[in-house]
């Protein structure tokens, strides 16, 4: 096959010594050979950085950068800045790929000169795309395919570097930097080629969803940034995106409130912001068809009496353990 086009594969690496070799083996073993593999060690304190250096000695396509810990958005942006390829791909360093993933995506993106190619995602322990692509091949504007659950993730895609241009991952967006990044690309009226084969193996990261992980006031930025995306979607009649992501927004509001109830000293300003968000969008929150009833009830209890909601959550999760 024609491997003339260079694909830059950007891999942020942080504390993944257990999974990194399998990830890197799956990249260097790709049937599409013309790769630039950029490994960015984001201040790992385990053996991840050492593993990167060892692989660079084995494969001349690998470039390694070591930096102080800056977070995944900053790290991906470093990769974008130095990438030399005509096409860009991202891989999370605890995941791995089918050996023909980039050959598959390359064929999709070049078939009709699309801007982005995307495949389905699976995980060995049972995770699969919640709403997968169910046709062998389809192409159209990104906005038309917002229904596919993985459209906002960067790691199951191949992008034209020209499309990305100066768009970067927003440092203020965690935990939704991926969604904001792809939303900005969608504004460019990009065309995406979708294929139904499962080529990317995603290792579910349970850390963020865990109630034991402390709430950070910076999470409020997620609500603010996604609200701006929703406003743009509504203004431009991207109603499928608006409806599905509105539900995701409400879900995050409730999850953040749960985290706050489990905190030893919950931040009052964050509580006021999140409960105020529910009150502001009360009817949409109440009648949202995708939001679970128990999440609606918990959100309403938080609005009425946060201390009561806190006691309920603590008893629930104590008994659950």
């Amino acid at each position: 096959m024609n491997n003339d086009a260079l694909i830059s594969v950007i891999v942020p690496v942080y504390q993944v010594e257990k999974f990194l070799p399998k990830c890197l083996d799956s990249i260097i073993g790709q049937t599409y050979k013309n790769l630039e593999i950029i490994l960015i060690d984001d201040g790992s304190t385990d053996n991840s950085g050492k593993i990167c250096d060892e692989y660079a000695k084995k494969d001349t396509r690998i470039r390694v950068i070591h930096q102080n810990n800056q977070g995944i958005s900053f790290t991906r942006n470093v990769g974008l800045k130095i990438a030399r390829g005509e096409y860009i791909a991202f891989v999370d360093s605890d995941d791995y790929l089918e050996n023909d993933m980039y050959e598959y995506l390359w064929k999709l993106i070049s078939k009709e000169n699309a801007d982005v190619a995307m495949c389905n995602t699976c995980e060995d322990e049972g995770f699969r795309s919640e709403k997968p692509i169910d046709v062998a091949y389809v192409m159209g504007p990104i906005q038309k395919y917002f229904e596919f659950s993985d459209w906002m993730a960067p790691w199951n895609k191949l992008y034209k570097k020209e499309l990305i241009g100066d768009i970067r991952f927003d440092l203020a967006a965690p935990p939704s930097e991926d969604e904001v990044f792809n939303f900005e690309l969608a504004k460019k009226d990009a065309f995406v080629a979708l294929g139904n084969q499962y080529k990317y193996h995603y290792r579910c990261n349970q850390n963020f969803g865990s109630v034991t992980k402390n709430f950070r006031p910076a999470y409020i930025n997620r609500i603010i940034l996604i609200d701006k995306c929703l406003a743009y979607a509504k203004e431009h009649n991207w109603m499928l995106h608006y409806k599905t992501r509105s539900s995701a927004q409400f879900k995050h509001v409730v999850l953040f409130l749960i985290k706050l109830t489990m905190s030893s000293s919950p931040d009052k300003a964050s509580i006021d912001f999140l409960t105020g968000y529910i009150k502001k969008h009360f009817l949409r929150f109440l009648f949202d068809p995708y939001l679970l009833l128990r999440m609606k009830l918990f959100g309403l209890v938080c609005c009425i009496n946060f201390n009561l909601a806190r006691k309920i959550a603590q008893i629930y999760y104590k008994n659950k353990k």
Side-chain angles (χ1 to χ4, degrees):
M1 64 170 293
N2 184 353
N3 280 183
D4 289 342
L6 178 65
I7 296 175
S8 294
V9 184
I10 299 171
V11 188
V13 176
Y14 182 68
Q15 305 293 82
V16 285
E17 62 178 10
K18 180 180 177 181
F19 308 112
L20 187 56
K22 184 170 186 175
C23 173
L24 298 183
D25 286 339
S26 75
I27 297 174
I28 64 177
Q30 287 291 302
T31 55
Y32 192 102
K33 299 300 182 183
N34 196 17
L35 304 177
E36 173 191 42
I37 305 167
I38 303 173
L39 308 181
I40 308 172
D41 171 28
D42 190 31
S44 299
T45 57
D46 62 1
N47 289 317
S48 296
K50 182 180 178 181
I51 293 171
C52 290
D53 292 334
E54 290 173 350
Y55 270 80
K57 294 176 183 177
K58 301 176 185 176
D59 195 316
T60 58
R61 298 174 298 173
I62 296 177
R63 303 167 64 187
V64 179
I65 295 173
H66 298 281
Q67 65 182 30
N68 294 328
N69 183 250
Q70 301 287 342
I72 192 167
S73 293
F74 183 96
T75 304
R76 285 175 177 160
N77 290 343
V78 169
L80 285 172
K81 183 177 180 180
I82 65 173
R84 297 184 292 231
E86 299 171 56
Y87 295 88
I88 302 291
F90 299 96
V91 178
D92 283 359
S93 53
D94 53 352
D95 300 336
Y96 65 98
L97 321 175
E98 291 293 315
N99 70 339
D100 64 342
M101 175 171 163
Y102 291 131
E103 179 180 351
Y104 178 70
L105 292 176
W106 166 250
K107 287 179 178 178
L108 285 176
I109 206 169
S110 60
K111 186 175 183 179
E112 295 186 56
N113 195 30
D115 300 298
V116 185
M118 171 176 146
C119 62
N120 277 330
T121 301
C122 63
E123 204 271 335
D124 289 350
E125 295 177 5
F127 172 88
R128 295 179 88 81
S129 303
E130 290 181 11
K131 187 171 179 58
I133 305 159
D134 56 4
V135 291
Y137 171 81
V138 65
M139 178 176 168
I142 286 180
Q143 303 92 318
K144 185 178 179 181
Y145 299 106
F146 281 152
E147 62 181 303
F148 297 116
S149 58
D150 296 337
W151 80 267
M152 74 287 289
W155 25 254
N156 62 340
K157 297 179 177 62
L158 184 63
Y159 301 90
K160 276 187 178 178
K161 186 179 181 182
E162 182 182 7
L163 171 70
I164 294 175
D166 60 358
I167 292 176
R168 294 295 182 264
F169 289 89
D170 194 320
L171 302 183
S176 296
E177 62 274 359
D178 297 353
E179 182 172 350
V180 174
F181 176 80
N182 278 302
F183 191 89
E184 291 301 314
L185 294 180
K187 289 182 181 180
K188 292 189 172 186
D189 295 322
F191 274 72
V192 56
L194 300 95
N196 67 347
Q197 293 189 30
Y198 289 84
K199 297 296 184 182
Y200 190 92
H201 292 259
Y202 174 72
R203 195 178 303 279
C204 294
N205 184 347
Q206 302 298 331
N207 289 334
F208 174 74
S210 172
V211 296
T212 61
K213 186 171 182 179
N214 291 335
F215 174 85
R216 291 186 290 160
Y219 288 164
I220 296 298
N221 290 331
R222 190 267 177 204
I223 306 301
I224 296 170
L225 287 167
I226 298 301
D227 243 22
K228 292 179 180 179
C229 294
L230 290 172
Y232 183 96
K234 188 174 183 180
E235 180 183 350
H236 290 78
N237 202 35
W238 298 359
M239 297 314 294
L240 180 59
H241 173 84
Y242 180 76
K243 291 176 182 177
T244 56
R245 302 317 296 168
S246 288
S247 291
Q249 180 83 316
F250 288 140
K251 179 181 178 180
H252 274 87
V253 167
V254 176
L255 287 174
F256 291 159
L257 283 168
I258 292 173
K259 287 179 179 293
L260 282 164
T261 62
M262 302 303 292
S263 173
S264 58
S265 54
D267 178 65
K268 186 178 185 305
S270 296
I271 296 169
D272 291 343
F273 179 91
L274 294 169
T275 54
Y277 189 89
I278 293 175
K279 293 173 184 177
K280 180 180 178 180
H281 304 285
F282 180 74
L283 290 179
R284 282 202 299 116
F285 178 83
L286 193 62
F287 294 106
D288 188 293
Y290 305 105
L291 191 65
L292 294 175
L293 177 60
R294 64 175 180 268
M295 299 195 80
K296 292 179 183 180
L297 291 174
F298 186 80
L300 294 176
V301 173
C302 286
C303 291
I304 297 169
N305 188 325
F306 181 80
N307 287 330
L308 175 61
R310 194 177 180 197
K311 290 178 182 178
I312 293 172
Q314 290 175 349
I315 292 171
Y316 173 80
Y317 284 107
K318 182 178 179 181
N319 290 335
K320 190 175 182 181
K321 287 179 182 179

